[in-house]
Amino acid sequence: MTSPSVYELAKLGEPSAIVKLLDKAFVKGGVTVAKCDRQGSTLRILLIGEKIDKQQRHAIEFLQKQFIKLEIVDLSEVIVYGQKTDDVMPVWNETISLNLDSTGGFDDFYLEDDETNHADTVTNNTEVTVNSLLDQPPPISQSSKDLPPPLPVSPPPISPRPPASRSSSTAKPRKPPMPPSRLGLAIASIFFFFPLGIAALVISNQVSSKYHYGDYAGARSSSNAVKFLFIISTSIVSLPILIAIALPSFLNQANEARESEGKQYVGSMNRGQQAYYLERSRFTDDIGTLGLGIQSETTNYIYEIEILSDDQVISTATPKNSTLKGFTGSVALVEVEGNTGGYKTTVAILCESNRPSSEAPDPPILLGSSQTCASGSKTLE
Protein backbone atom coordinates (compact mmCIF):
# COMPACT_ATOMS: atom_id res chain seq x y z
CA MET A 1 0.00 0.00 0.00
CA THR A 2 1.18 3.49 -0.82
CA SER A 3 1.31 5.86 2.07
CA PRO A 4 -1.13 8.73 1.52
CA SER A 5 1.26 11.06 3.37
CA VAL A 6 3.26 11.62 0.16
CA TYR A 7 0.25 13.18 -1.56
CA GLU A 8 -0.44 15.33 1.49
CA LEU A 9 3.19 16.47 1.56
CA ALA A 10 2.96 17.33 -2.14
CA LYS A 11 -0.13 19.46 -1.45
CA LEU A 12 1.96 21.32 1.13
CA GLY A 13 4.58 22.07 -1.55
CA GLU A 14 7.31 19.62 -0.41
CA PRO A 15 9.66 19.35 -3.47
CA SER A 16 10.73 15.74 -2.84
CA ALA A 17 7.11 14.58 -2.64
CA ILE A 18 6.27 16.48 -5.84
CA VAL A 19 9.23 14.77 -7.57
CA LYS A 20 7.88 11.36 -6.50
CA LEU A 21 4.43 12.07 -7.90
CA LEU A 22 5.74 13.55 -11.17
CA ASP A 23 8.27 10.75 -11.74
CA LYS A 24 5.47 8.19 -11.54
CA ALA A 25 3.34 10.22 -13.93
CA PHE A 26 6.14 10.97 -16.42
CA VAL A 27 7.70 7.49 -16.57
CA LYS A 28 5.55 6.33 -19.51
CA GLY A 29 6.48 9.40 -21.50
CA GLY A 30 10.24 8.89 -21.21
CA VAL A 31 10.74 12.02 -19.10
CA THR A 32 12.62 12.33 -15.79
CA VAL A 33 12.17 15.02 -13.16
CA ALA A 34 15.84 15.84 -12.55
CA LYS A 35 15.44 18.72 -10.09
CA CYS A 36 12.70 20.42 -8.11
CA ASP A 37 12.96 23.23 -5.58
CA ARG A 38 10.79 25.93 -4.13
CA GLN A 39 11.53 29.58 -3.39
CA GLY A 40 8.61 31.26 -1.67
CA SER A 41 5.57 31.08 -3.93
CA THR A 42 7.59 29.84 -6.93
CA LEU A 43 8.36 26.20 -7.74
CA ARG A 44 11.11 25.31 -10.24
CA ILE A 45 11.18 21.99 -12.10
CA LEU A 46 13.80 20.59 -14.52
CA LEU A 47 12.55 17.93 -16.97
CA ILE A 48 15.01 15.81 -18.93
CA GLY A 49 13.98 13.64 -21.88
CA GLU A 50 15.17 12.49 -25.29
CA LYS A 51 12.35 14.31 -27.16
CA ILE A 52 11.65 17.09 -24.69
CA ASP A 53 12.51 19.77 -27.26
CA LYS A 54 9.47 18.72 -29.34
CA GLN A 55 7.07 18.21 -26.41
CA GLN A 56 7.03 21.56 -24.64
CA ARG A 57 3.33 22.34 -25.20
CA HIS A 58 2.12 18.92 -24.09
CA ALA A 59 4.31 18.92 -20.98
CA ILE A 60 3.18 22.40 -19.91
CA GLU A 61 -0.50 21.54 -20.39
CA PHE A 62 -0.09 18.38 -18.34
CA LEU A 63 1.77 20.10 -15.47
CA GLN A 64 -0.69 22.99 -15.34
CA LYS A 65 -3.58 20.55 -15.00
CA GLN A 66 -1.87 18.53 -12.23
CA PHE A 67 -0.74 21.52 -10.14
CA ILE A 68 -4.23 23.02 -10.27
CA LYS A 69 -5.52 19.73 -8.90
CA LEU A 70 -2.89 19.62 -6.14
CA GLU A 71 -3.87 23.09 -4.83
CA ILE A 72 -0.46 23.59 -3.22
CA VAL A 73 -0.57 26.10 -0.41
CA ASP A 74 0.81 29.57 -1.23
CA LEU A 75 2.06 28.46 -4.67
CA SER A 76 1.41 31.03 -7.41
CA GLU A 77 3.66 29.92 -10.28
CA VAL A 78 5.73 27.02 -11.57
CA ILE A 79 8.81 27.60 -13.76
CA VAL A 80 9.48 24.56 -15.96
CA TYR A 81 12.79 23.92 -17.78
CA GLY A 82 13.08 21.33 -20.57
CA GLN A 83 16.48 19.78 -21.30
CA LYS A 84 17.45 17.03 -23.73
CA THR A 85 19.18 13.94 -22.36
CA ASP A 86 22.62 14.61 -23.86
CA ASP A 87 22.58 18.39 -23.40
CA VAL A 88 23.98 20.44 -20.52
CA MET A 89 21.63 23.42 -20.87
CA PRO A 90 17.80 23.61 -21.12
CA VAL A 91 16.37 24.02 -24.61
CA TRP A 92 13.26 25.82 -23.34
CA ASN A 93 11.64 27.22 -20.20
CA GLU A 94 8.12 28.38 -19.46
CA THR A 95 6.25 29.82 -16.46
CA ILE A 96 2.88 28.36 -15.41
CA SER A 97 0.59 30.75 -13.54
CA LEU A 98 -1.71 28.70 -11.34
CA ASN A 99 -5.49 29.19 -11.13
CA LEU A 100 -6.79 26.95 -8.37
CA ASP A 101 -10.26 26.24 -9.74
CA SER A 102 -10.17 22.46 -10.21
CA THR A 103 -9.90 19.35 -8.05
CA GLY A 104 -9.19 15.72 -8.70
CA GLY A 105 -6.59 12.97 -8.59
CA PHE A 106 -3.16 12.90 -10.21
CA ASP A 107 -3.16 11.88 -13.90
CA ASP A 108 -0.61 9.79 -15.76
CA PHE A 109 1.46 11.43 -18.49
CA TYR A 110 1.76 10.02 -22.01
CA LEU A 111 4.35 12.19 -23.71
CA GLU A 112 3.86 13.07 -27.40
CA ASP A 113 5.50 15.34 -29.94
CA ASP A 114 3.85 18.72 -30.31
CA GLU A 115 3.34 18.00 -34.00
CA THR A 116 1.14 14.90 -33.33
CA ASN A 117 -2.63 14.96 -32.82
CA HIS A 118 -3.34 15.90 -29.22
CA ALA A 119 -6.69 14.10 -29.36
CA ASP A 120 -4.90 10.75 -29.55
CA THR A 121 -3.14 11.54 -26.30
CA VAL A 122 -6.38 12.34 -24.54
CA THR A 123 -8.00 9.06 -25.59
CA ASN A 124 -4.98 7.07 -24.39
CA ASN A 125 -4.73 8.79 -20.98
CA THR A 126 -6.32 7.09 -18.00
CA GLU A 127 -7.18 8.53 -14.62
CA VAL A 128 -4.92 7.02 -11.97
CA THR A 129 -5.38 7.48 -8.26
CA VAL A 130 -2.53 8.54 -6.03
CA ASN A 131 -2.34 5.11 -4.35
CA SER A 132 -1.75 3.42 -7.73
CA LEU A 133 1.03 5.87 -8.66
CA LEU A 134 3.08 5.68 -5.50
CA ASP A 135 4.97 2.62 -4.36
CA GLN A 136 6.78 4.07 -1.38
CA PRO A 137 6.94 7.57 0.05
CA PRO A 138 10.20 9.36 -0.79
CA PRO A 139 12.65 10.14 2.00
CA ILE A 140 11.65 13.64 3.06
CA SER A 141 14.23 15.61 4.96
CA GLN A 142 12.92 17.20 8.12
CA SER A 143 11.97 20.80 7.52
CA SER A 144 13.66 23.48 9.53
CA LYS A 145 10.26 24.60 10.87
CA ASP A 146 9.84 21.21 12.62
CA LEU A 147 13.11 21.60 14.52
CA PRO A 148 13.09 23.20 17.97
CA PRO A 149 14.56 26.66 18.07
CA PRO A 150 18.22 26.78 19.06
CA LEU A 151 18.96 27.29 22.69
CA PRO A 152 20.06 30.79 23.54
CA VAL A 153 23.72 31.02 24.28
CA SER A 154 24.50 33.10 27.28
CA PRO A 155 27.53 35.34 26.89
CA PRO A 156 30.60 34.32 28.87
CA PRO A 157 31.10 36.14 32.10
CA ILE A 158 33.18 39.24 31.69
CA SER A 159 36.06 39.32 34.02
CA PRO A 160 36.83 42.71 35.41
CA ARG A 161 39.71 44.42 33.65
CA PRO A 162 42.67 44.80 35.93
CA PRO A 163 43.44 48.37 36.71
CA ALA A 164 46.03 49.86 34.39
CA SER A 165 49.30 50.39 36.02
CA ARG A 166 50.20 53.95 36.27
CA SER A 167 53.37 54.61 34.39
CA SER A 168 55.71 57.32 35.34
CA SER A 169 55.56 60.40 33.17
CA THR A 170 59.27 60.10 32.75
CA ALA A 171 59.15 56.50 31.31
CA LYS A 172 60.97 56.19 27.96
CA PRO A 173 59.02 54.91 24.89
CA ARG A 174 59.79 51.33 23.90
CA LYS A 175 62.17 51.03 20.95
CA PRO A 176 60.99 48.94 17.93
CA PRO A 177 63.27 46.15 16.72
CA MET A 178 65.91 47.21 14.21
CA PRO A 179 64.99 46.25 10.62
CA PRO A 180 67.43 44.00 8.71
CA SER A 181 70.18 45.78 6.79
CA ARG A 182 69.94 43.21 3.94
CA LEU A 183 73.70 43.40 3.32
CA GLY A 184 73.67 40.04 1.54
CA LEU A 185 71.08 41.23 -0.99
CA ALA A 186 73.12 44.40 -1.58
CA ILE A 187 76.27 42.38 -2.32
CA ALA A 188 74.34 40.05 -4.64
CA SER A 189 72.96 43.07 -6.50
CA ILE A 190 76.52 44.09 -7.41
CA PHE A 191 76.97 40.85 -9.37
CA PHE A 192 73.61 41.20 -11.13
CA PHE A 193 73.79 44.91 -12.04
CA PHE A 194 76.78 46.87 -10.74
CA PRO A 195 75.34 50.44 -10.57
CA LEU A 196 72.26 49.38 -8.60
CA GLY A 197 74.40 47.06 -6.45
CA ILE A 198 76.61 49.96 -5.30
CA ALA A 199 73.51 52.02 -4.44
CA ALA A 200 72.04 49.11 -2.50
CA LEU A 201 75.31 48.68 -0.55
CA VAL A 202 75.35 52.35 0.48
CA ILE A 203 71.69 52.29 1.57
CA SER A 204 72.26 49.05 3.50
CA ASN A 205 74.92 50.76 5.64
CA GLN A 206 72.45 53.54 6.48
CA VAL A 207 69.98 51.20 8.20
CA SER A 208 71.92 50.83 11.48
CA SER A 209 72.98 54.48 11.66
CA LYS A 210 69.43 55.77 11.21
CA TYR A 211 68.16 53.32 13.82
CA HIS A 212 70.71 54.34 16.47
CA TYR A 213 69.89 58.01 15.90
CA GLY A 214 66.20 57.28 16.54
CA ASP A 215 65.02 57.52 12.94
CA TYR A 216 63.10 54.23 13.06
CA ALA A 217 60.91 55.01 10.04
CA GLY A 218 63.99 55.98 7.99
CA ALA A 219 65.76 52.75 8.94
CA ARG A 220 62.74 50.70 7.87
CA SER A 221 62.52 52.62 4.58
CA SER A 222 66.22 52.02 3.82
CA SER A 223 65.82 48.28 4.50
CA ASN A 224 62.91 48.08 2.06
CA ALA A 225 64.85 50.10 -0.52
CA VAL A 226 67.68 47.55 -0.50
CA LYS A 227 65.18 44.75 -1.20
CA PHE A 228 63.61 46.77 -4.01
CA LEU A 229 66.99 47.43 -5.67
CA PHE A 230 67.82 43.72 -5.47
CA ILE A 231 64.58 42.82 -7.27
CA ILE A 232 65.29 45.41 -9.98
CA SER A 233 68.85 44.10 -10.44
CA THR A 234 67.72 40.49 -10.87
CA SER A 235 64.99 41.61 -13.29
CA ILE A 236 67.51 43.44 -15.47
CA VAL A 237 69.61 40.27 -15.73
CA SER A 238 66.72 37.86 -16.27
CA LEU A 239 64.93 39.98 -18.88
CA PRO A 240 67.43 39.30 -21.71
CA ILE A 241 67.40 35.61 -20.83
CA LEU A 242 63.61 35.49 -21.04
CA ILE A 243 63.71 37.36 -24.33
CA ALA A 244 66.30 34.94 -25.73
CA ILE A 245 64.07 32.02 -24.78
CA ALA A 246 60.82 33.49 -26.04
CA LEU A 247 62.04 35.20 -29.22
CA PRO A 248 62.73 32.06 -31.30
CA SER A 249 59.31 30.68 -30.45
CA PHE A 250 57.69 33.99 -31.37
CA LEU A 251 59.57 34.23 -34.66
CA ASN A 252 58.70 30.63 -35.49
CA GLN A 253 55.00 31.32 -34.94
CA ALA A 254 55.22 34.43 -37.09
CA ASN A 255 56.91 32.46 -39.89
CA GLU A 256 54.27 29.73 -39.69
CA ALA A 257 51.56 32.36 -40.11
CA ARG A 258 53.28 33.75 -43.22
CA GLU A 259 53.94 30.26 -44.61
CA SER A 260 50.25 29.41 -44.32
CA GLU A 261 49.65 31.96 -47.09
CA GLY A 262 51.89 30.10 -49.53
CA LYS A 263 50.41 26.75 -48.59
CA GLN A 264 46.82 27.91 -49.07
CA TYR A 265 47.49 29.78 -52.32
CA VAL A 266 49.30 26.90 -54.03
CA GLY A 267 46.61 24.48 -52.88
CA SER A 268 43.94 26.79 -54.34
CA MET A 269 45.86 27.00 -57.62
CA ASN A 270 45.95 23.19 -57.80
CA ARG A 271 42.19 22.99 -57.36
CA GLY A 272 41.70 25.82 -59.87
CA GLN A 273 43.74 23.94 -62.50
CA GLN A 274 41.66 20.80 -61.99
CA ALA A 275 38.43 22.76 -62.45
CA TYR A 276 39.87 24.58 -65.49
CA TYR A 277 40.90 21.29 -67.16
CA LEU A 278 37.51 19.74 -66.46
CA GLU A 279 35.86 22.64 -68.27
CA ARG A 280 38.34 23.23 -71.15
CA SER A 281 40.38 19.99 -71.39
CA ARG A 282 43.65 21.87 -70.99
CA PHE A 283 45.76 23.68 -68.36
CA THR A 284 46.57 27.39 -68.14
CA ASP A 285 49.69 29.32 -67.12
CA ASP A 286 47.77 32.52 -66.27
CA ILE A 287 46.91 32.94 -62.57
CA GLY A 288 44.20 35.47 -63.36
CA THR A 289 42.45 33.02 -65.72
CA LEU A 290 41.84 30.67 -62.79
CA GLY A 291 39.59 33.34 -61.20
CA LEU A 292 40.94 32.82 -57.69
CA GLY A 293 41.75 36.45 -56.87
CA ILE A 294 45.39 35.53 -56.19
CA GLN A 295 48.06 38.14 -57.02
CA SER A 296 51.27 37.01 -58.68
CA GLU A 297 53.31 38.66 -55.89
CA THR A 298 52.62 39.42 -52.23
CA THR A 299 54.72 40.61 -49.30
CA ASN A 300 55.93 37.08 -48.59
CA TYR A 301 55.85 35.09 -51.87
CA ILE A 302 56.08 35.22 -55.67
CA TYR A 303 53.52 32.93 -57.35
CA GLU A 304 54.06 31.38 -60.80
CA ILE A 305 52.50 28.71 -63.03
CA GLU A 306 54.49 26.58 -65.51
CA ILE A 307 53.03 24.02 -67.92
CA LEU A 308 55.53 21.14 -68.09
CA SER A 309 53.58 19.15 -70.67
CA ASP A 310 50.08 18.58 -71.91
CA ASP A 311 49.64 16.23 -68.97
CA GLN A 312 51.25 18.20 -66.12
CA VAL A 313 51.27 21.76 -64.76
CA ILE A 314 53.02 23.10 -61.65
CA SER A 315 52.31 26.09 -59.39
CA THR A 316 55.07 27.52 -57.21
CA ALA A 317 55.32 29.86 -54.20
CA THR A 318 58.88 31.25 -54.05
CA PRO A 319 59.73 32.91 -50.68
CA LYS A 320 60.89 36.52 -50.71
CA ASN A 321 62.46 35.92 -47.30
CA SER A 322 64.98 33.11 -46.78
CA THR A 323 63.48 32.34 -43.36
CA LEU A 324 60.32 30.97 -45.03
CA LYS A 325 59.70 27.61 -46.67
CA GLY A 326 58.77 27.30 -50.34
CA PHE A 327 55.84 25.37 -51.86
CA THR A 328 55.24 23.62 -55.16
CA GLY A 329 51.96 22.13 -56.37
CA SER A 330 51.42 19.86 -59.35
CA VAL A 331 48.31 18.74 -61.25
CA ALA A 332 48.84 15.80 -63.62
CA LEU A 333 46.59 13.95 -66.05
CA VAL A 334 46.76 10.18 -65.45
CA GLU A 335 44.89 7.15 -66.65
CA VAL A 336 42.34 5.65 -64.28
CA GLU A 337 43.58 2.32 -62.95
CA GLY A 338 41.61 -0.66 -64.23
CA ASN A 339 40.01 1.37 -67.04
CA THR A 340 40.58 -0.06 -70.52
CA GLY A 341 38.91 2.76 -72.43
CA GLY A 342 41.78 5.22 -72.00
CA TYR A 343 39.80 7.41 -69.59
CA LYS A 344 41.99 9.92 -67.75
CA THR A 345 41.56 12.07 -64.66
CA THR A 346 43.57 14.73 -62.84
CA VAL A 347 45.51 14.16 -59.61
CA ALA A 348 47.09 16.91 -57.46
CA ILE A 349 49.96 17.04 -54.98
CA LEU A 350 51.31 19.82 -52.70
CA CYS A 351 54.97 19.80 -51.61
CA GLU A 352 56.75 21.86 -48.94
CA SER A 353 60.50 22.37 -48.69
CA ASN A 354 62.08 20.66 -45.72
CA ARG A 355 63.98 23.82 -44.64
CA PRO A 356 63.59 27.56 -45.11
CA SER A 357 64.83 28.52 -48.55
CA SER A 358 64.75 31.32 -51.08
CA GLU A 359 63.53 28.90 -53.79
CA ALA A 360 60.47 26.76 -54.35
CA PRO A 361 60.87 22.95 -54.29
CA ASP A 362 61.63 21.08 -57.52
CA PRO A 363 58.61 19.83 -59.53
CA PRO A 364 57.06 16.58 -58.25
CA ILE A 365 57.91 13.38 -60.10
CA LEU A 366 55.09 11.74 -62.07
CA LEU A 367 55.25 7.91 -61.89
CA GLY A 368 52.39 6.17 -63.62
CA SER A 369 49.17 7.28 -61.96
CA SER A 370 50.76 8.92 -58.90
CA GLN A 371 53.08 11.82 -58.08
CA THR A 372 55.95 12.03 -55.60
CA CYS A 373 57.59 15.14 -54.12
CA ALA A 374 61.14 15.77 -55.24
CA SER A 375 64.17 15.45 -52.99
CA GLY A 376 64.39 18.17 -50.37
CA SER A 377 60.62 18.49 -49.98
CA LYS A 378 57.78 16.61 -48.36
CA THR A 379 54.15 15.95 -49.19
CA LEU A 380 51.48 17.95 -47.35
CA GLU A 381 48.18 16.27 -46.58
Side-chain angles (χ1 to χ4, degrees):
M1 291 292 292
T2 302
S3 173
S5 63
V6 175
Y7 187 73
E8 296 299 328
L9 288 171
K11 289 176 68 66
L12 293 175
E14 178 63 39
S16 57
I18 294 173
V19 170
K20 182 67 176 181
L21 290 176
L22 292 180
D23 268 340
K24 288 290 185 180
F26 274 115
V27 66
K28 294 183 180 180
V31 176
T32 302
V33 182
K35 290 183 181 180
C36 179
D37 61 19
R38 182 175 180 178
Q39 296 180 347
S41 61
T42 300
L43 188 73
R44 299 185 302 178
I45 297 175
L46 174 61
L47 303 178
I48 294 181
E50 183 66 29
K51 300 168 62 179
I52 198 66
D53 58 327
K54 300 179 180 178
Q55 301 156 340
Q56 177 180 356
R57 177 187 58 81
H58 189 61
I60 295 300
E61 290 177 356
F62 173 79
L63 288 173
Q64 185 173 22
K65 176 182 176 183
Q66 306 311 322
F67 278 107
I68 290 176
K69 290 181 178 182
L70 279 176
E71 297 181 337
I72 298 176
V73 179
D74 297 330
L75 186 65
S76 61
E77 65 177 9
V78 179
I79 302 177
V80 186
Y81 300 86
Q83 178 177 319
K84 294 194 69 175
T85 304
D86 298 329
D87 291 349
V88 296
M89 294 293 292
V91 293
W92 57 264
N93 67 83
E94 190 167 336
T95 301
I96 301 174
S97 297
L98 299 180
N99 181 17
L100 303 180
D101 58 357
S102 175
T103 59
F106 207 82
D107 293 340
D108 211 350
F109 178 76
Y110 295 84
L111 195 57
E112 293 184 350
D113 294 357
D114 284 348
E115 292 80 0
T116 59
N117 190 348
H118 186 60
D120 295 339
T121 304
V122 176
T123 57
N124 289 334
N125 285 353
T126 57
E127 292 291 332
V128 184
T129 63
V130 175
N131 291 339
S132 67
L133 289 174
L134 305 178
D135 295 327
Q136 293 181 354
I140 306 300
S141 58
Q142 188 175 12
S143 176
S144 58
K145 65 182 180 180
D146 298 329
L147 297 175
L151 296 176
V153 180
S154 58
I158 300 176
S159 57
R161 179 179 296 177
S165 59
R166 295 182 179 179
S167 58
S168 173
S169 59
T170 59
K172 295 182 179 180
R174 188 174 180 181
K175 294 174 60 175
M178 187 176 73
S181 62
R182 307 185 192 276
L183 180 60
L185 296 183
I187 296 175
S189 301
I190 296 176
F191 294 98
F192 290 125
F193 191 69
F194 184 78
L196 292 182
I198 294 298
L201 187 62
V202 173
I203 296 175
S204 174
N205 293 329
Q206 295 176 355
V207 174
S208 60
S209 60
K210 289 182 178 180
Y211 180 81
H212 289 302
Y213 279 101
D215 185 6
Y216 306 129
R220 186 166 53 253
S221 176
S222 296
S223 177
N224 293 334
V226 175
K227 180 173 66 174
F228 178 74
L229 292 175
F230 172 77
I231 295 174
I232 296 298
S233 300
T234 56
S235 300
I236 292 175
V237 173
S238 60
L239 185 61
I241 298 175
L242 294 177
I243 292 176
I245 295 174
L247 187 59
S249 176
F250 175 77
L251 293 176
N252 185 48
Q253 292 179 0
N255 286 340
E256 288 180 357
R258 290 193 289 266
E259 289 171 353
S260 65
E261 174 201 307
K263 183 190 307 182
Q264 293 176 4
Y265 280 18
V266 173
S268 298
M269 292 162 70
N270 275 352
R271 292 186 291 271
Q273 290 284 8
Q274 288 181 300
Y276 190 87
Y277 189 90
L278 182 63
E279 182 179 354
R280 295 177 174 81
S281 299
R282 60 186 177 86
F283 297 117
T284 179
D285 58 359
D286 184 12
I287 297 178
T289 305
L290 296 177
L292 302 175
I294 298 176
Q295 301 296 324
S296 60
E297 183 174 353
T298 64
T299 305
N300 303 312
Y301 287 94
I302 297 174
Y303 299 98
E304 296 176 311
I305 296 177
E306 181 181 356
I307 299 177
L308 299 183
S309 66
D310 292 341
D311 294 340
Q312 187 179 12
V313 61
I314 63 171
S315 303
T316 59
T318 304
K320 298 175 68 175
N321 187 334
S322 59
T323 61
L324 302 177
K325 295 180 179 180
F327 300 91
T328 297
S330 171
V331 176
L333 189 65
V334 298
E335 292 186 359
V336 178
E337 295 183 359
N339 185 277
T340 57
Y343 176 74
K344 294 186 176 182
T345 186
T346 57
V347 293
I349 190 172
L350 177 59
C351 303
E352 176 189 58
S353 59
N354 294 332
R355 297 179 180 84
S357 173
S358 58
E359 297 180 355
D362 292 335
I365 302 172
L366 178 61
L367 298 174
S369 60
S370 62
Q371 299 188 87
T372 304
C373 289
S375 176
S377 61
K378 61 181 179 180
T379 304
L380 295 179
E381 296 294 337

